[in-house]
């Protein structure tokens, strides 16, 4: 429920330039780069790992609909 964390997901991409599903990774604070990573929150490692797993697993079910 952290608005600063949530805003990082705006304009992020789950499909790479070759039309492969890559999801979004949550990395240590200050290390995010590119369209497939966001900075995690200090002290929330387990939550960040759980969210990354959720995004990868649950969004991958719909990957056939993401391709244009």
């Amino acid at each position: 429920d952290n608005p600063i964390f949530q805003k990082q997901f705006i304009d992020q991409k789950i499909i790479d330039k070759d039309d492969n599903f890559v999801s979004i990774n949550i990395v240590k604070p200050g290390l995010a780069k590119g369209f497939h990573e966001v900075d995690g929150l200090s002290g929330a490692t387990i939550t960040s790992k759980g969210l990354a797993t959720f995004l990868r697993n649950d969004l991958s079910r719909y990957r056939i609909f993401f391709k244009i």
Side-chain angles (χ1 to χ4, degrees):
D1 65 350
N2 182 312
I4 295 169
F5 178 69
Q6 292 174 359
K7 285 181 184 180
Q8 295 183 86
F9 289 86
I10 297 171
D11 294 328
Q12 291 297 325
K13 310 292 184 213
I14 58 174
I15 304 292
D16 70 10
K17 62 182 178 175
D18 298 320
D19 288 331
N20 297 309
F21 174 78
V22 294
S23 192
I24 297 173
N25 290 319
I26 301 168
V27 298
K28 290 187 179 192
L31 298 180
K33 48 189 158 180
F35 290 110
H36 309 291
E37 293 182 340
V38 298
D39 288 320
L41 298 173
S42 182
T45 302
I46 293 172
T47 301
S48 294
K49 287 181 180 183
L51 179 58
T53 299
F54 162 76
L55 290 171
R56 184 179 56 255
N57 292 343
D58 288 358
L59 290 176
S60 70
R61 297 176 189 178
Y62 301 98
R63 74 177 116 197
I64 62 171
F65 298 106
F66 297 144
K67 297 194 180 195
I68 297 173

